[in-house]
Amino acid sequence: MDDSNATDESCDVAVIGGGPSGSTAAALLAGRGYKVIALEKEHHPRFHIGESLLPMNLPLFERLGVLDKVRAMGVFKAGADFEADNERGYNTFAFARALGDSPPHAYQVWRQDFDQMLYRHARECGADAREGHEVRALEQNGPRESRLDVRTDDGRGYRIQARYVVDASGRDAFLSARKKLRRRNDQHQSAAIFGHFRGAGRRSGEDAGNISIYAFEHGWMWMIPLPGDVMSVGAVCRPGYLKQRKGRTLEFLLDTLKRSAALWRRIEHAELIGNEVRVTGNYSYDSARMGGPGWVLVGDAFAFLDPVFSSGVYLAMTGAEQAAAVVDAALREPARERALLRKLEKRQRAGMARFSFFIYRFNGPVLRKMFRQPRNAWQLEQGVISMLAGDLFDTPKVLWRLKLFKLVYAISGLRDWRRWRAEHKYRLEQARLQFTGGTTPQDLV
């Protein structure tokens, strides 16, 4: 940056990134009376995948004051369905059957509209929410003295002096990368290929808005109903499978989706909007630390899991809500900061670990059978539904059933230990592969 053209500003909290976690932190901290500058390098609306929300998002939306806006833009989602060996061909895991106090439904949303709404809400709460402003560098001279160098998309440069920095930069992982904290997940990796279709078949009746999950030999596939008769359809695959991609990405996507006969029947007459196909690279990573004096990582800037259970937005927003409380306390009582950050990180990692147990094993023979042929002995199926609803932090009767589920899983694995061992070995081999993804213009035809 050319310092001669830079101007200085100051604030209490600088928030890097304008996705769900950044907007949540900015709105809550501005609402507590802090001077907040939020910086988003792009302009809303901008494309983002991750359209399926969880029931546990809804109480958070209400606390933020945006529940009515989400309801107005979303498709009602009563549950999730998985392929099954029954007359219908699928089992519905209805959120109304969850054990805890999680709401009995959620919503599917266009992420570009959802993210824009949250960013505007942060602005309405008093945050100085800027778009087209990219943080290029950050220098910390003390726990409450951070300097951010910012470049606008019209070429102007300026500096911000902040007492606290919330990094919500998403998969850019701005601070995690610069502090060398980012770590690839050595237990699980996946990559995704997807598009949006018009005219795909929806479930009937109350299941019409549900997300549908299909397993296949190289991963799993999703169908997410969106407003305007649009269906988000894609496959999350082992990296080794996507490395086989040759020729046009569109053909590879369609060939992949044909591997699930049940899914293909629902989209074979649908239209791929704009013939546009997107590919993303390896998903799973975390950071060695969540925060330090004067800074904290939230959402994907801290960690990201394979999205099979739609955990991303919820983990990002609940983490940001908790982080906002930590920032508030740290600015008022600095001596508490270290302990509060440690408690926050422990909580966030515990929730991620509970999701991860199911994510890592979803393609294995044991868990696949459990989802195809669920049993509710000891209310274990309802415990799984509670996990799918996002209720995995504070409800004891859910948490102990998830622990019991692990025991049942282990016993089931011993009965078919050769297949379990083969899948485990394959998963670890795939976790070591590199696949960066990316979409080029010629891929989109």
Side-chain angles (χ1 to χ4, degrees):
M1 173 176 293
D2 181 0
D3 288 343
S4 64
N5 294 324
T7 58
D8 288 329
E9 300 183 48
S10 64
C11 66
D12 295 312
V13 183
V15 178
I16 306 172
S21 59
S23 296
T24 298
L28 292 173
L29 287 165
R32 293 182 185 222
Y34 291 102
K35 181 178 180 181
V36 177
I37 298 178
L39 303 158
E40 165 58 43
K41 68 178 183 179
E42 299 182 38
H43 288 265
H44 289 290
R46 77 281 194 278
F47 177 82
H48 205 290
I49 197 64
E51 301 124 331
S52 192
L53 305 178
L54 301 186
M56 286 301 290
N57 277 116
L58 271 59
L60 199 161
F61 294 153
E62 191 164 17
R63 292 191 293 273
L64 272 177
V66 298
L67 181 56
D68 288 342
K69 296 177 182 178
V70 175
R71 185 182 294 116
M73 69 171 54
V75 171
F76 185 88
K77 169 186 171 184
D81 64 62
F82 298 79
E83 275 190 286
D85 303 316
N86 58 26
E87 185 176 344
R88 292 194 308 174
Y90 65 94
N91 285 316
T92 297
F93 288 71
F95 294 134
R97 297 184 58 230
L99 291 173
D101 295 325
S102 56
H105 66 275
Y107 296 96
Q108 324 274 23
V109 295
W110 280 109
R111 272 294 300 278
Q112 58 265 36
D113 298 336
F114 175 76
D115 289 6
Q116 182 179 50
M117 178 275 294
L118 288 178
Y119 205 59
R120 287 176 173 173
H121 180 72
R123 190 175 289 132
E124 292 165 2
C125 290
D128 183 352
R130 306 173 183 180
E131 300 174 57
H133 290 235
E134 181 180 6
V135 178
R136 295 290 189 89
L138 187 148
E139 179 181 345
Q140 199 170 23
N141 299 315
R144 302 292 173 259
E145 298 178 33
S146 292
R147 189 186 79 171
L148 295 81
D149 289 346
V150 184
R151 175 75 66 178
T152 66
D153 54 12
D154 62 3
R156 181 172 61 89
Y158 65 98
R159 289 185 295 245
I160 295 174
Q161 301 286 340
R163 297 170 62 204
Y164 220 102
V165 176
V166 176
D167 182 6
S169 58
R171 293 182 67 185
D172 288 347
F174 180 85
L175 277 178
S176 185
R178 283 157 179 77
K179 292 180 177 291
K180 302 188 185 306
L181 299 175
R182 183 164 171 159
R183 307 180 295 194
R184 290 183 71 249
N185 188 326
D186 62 2
Q187 296 294 308
H188 182 88
Q189 285 296 332
S190 56
I193 180 170
F194 54 92
H196 290 89
F197 292 76
R198 181 169 284 110
R202 301 198 178 199
R203 299 299 192 200
S204 59
E206 63 182 13
D207 293 335
N210 292 356
I211 181 174
S212 299
I213 304 293
Y214 300 85
F216 77 118
E217 63 269 35
H218 300 292
W220 59 274
M221 304 178 190
W222 78 78
M223 296 185 71
I224 299 174
L226 294 171
D229 193 31
V230 175
M231 187 80 72
S232 172
V233 185
V236 174
C237 317
R238 302 293 198 200
Y241 174 70
L242 273 183
K243 277 179 173 286
Q244 303 172 21
R245 178 170 58 110
K246 296 179 181 178
R248 295 191 300 176
T249 301
L250 169 57
E251 293 172 353
F252 189 87
L253 171 64
L254 297 179
D255 288 343
T256 298
L257 298 179
K258 288 176 182 177
R259 290 174 177 266
S260 170
L263 181 148
W264 185 251
R265 283 194 294 270
R266 296 175 63 186
I267 69 165
E268 61 180 326
H269 301 300
E271 170 196 2
L272 177 63
I273 299 173
N275 277 345
E276 185 172 7
V277 177
R278 297 175 186 265
V279 180
T280 65
N282 285 359
Y283 270 124
S284 303
Y285 59 86
D286 77 337
S287 302
R289 282 188 294 150
M290 192 174 184
W295 61 274
V296 65
L297 312 177
V298 296
D300 295 355
F302 171 59
F304 187 75
L305 303 173
D306 181 306
V308 62
F309 299 128
S310 305
S311 62
V313 172
Y314 174 62
L315 286 175
M317 294 185 71
T318 189
E321 182 182 36
Q322 297 284 325
V326 170
V327 172
D328 177 37
L331 289 174
R332 289 185 290 104
E333 303 176 67
R336 299 179 58 204
E337 181 179 21
R338 183 176 180 182
L340 290 171
L341 284 171
R342 187 164 55 242
K343 182 179 179 181
L344 171 62
E345 181 172 342
K346 182 179 180 181
R347 172 187 170 85
Q348 200 72 0
R349 288 194 187 278
M352 289 166 51
R354 292 172 188 129
F355 267 127
S356 295
F357 176 85
F358 292 88
I359 288 170
Y360 295 170
R361 295 158 180 83
F362 181 67
N363 263 81
V366 177
L367 209 59
R368 187 176 292 189
K369 181 179 180 180
M370 288 181 172
F371 274 98
R372 292 182 73 95
Q373 302 172 3
R375 297 175 58 195
N376 199 34
W378 305 298
Q379 294 184 303
L380 290 184
E381 182 191 357
Q382 288 176 270
V384 172
I385 291 172
S386 299
M387 180 273 297
L388 294 174
D391 188 4
L392 36 62
F393 285 106
D394 304 311
T395 307
K397 59 185 175 182
V398 173
L399 299 184
W400 81 256
R401 282 177 176 82
L402 294 181
K403 290 180 180 179
L404 181 59
F405 189 96
K406 290 184 179 182
L407 177 61
V408 173
Y409 175 89
I411 294 171
S412 299
L414 287 174
R415 294 174 178 169
D416 195 2
W417 69 271
R418 287 186 176 87
R419 289 182 63 198
W420 174 88
R421 183 180 178 185
E423 168 60 23
H424 179 74
K425 181 180 178 181
Y426 177 62
R427 171 164 59 86
L428 295 183
E429 288 173 350
Q430 290 293 302
R432 292 191 291 269
L433 292 180
Q434 293 282 348
F435 178 83
T436 57
T439 306
T440 58
Q442 59 267 32
D443 288 332
L444 303 182
V445 296

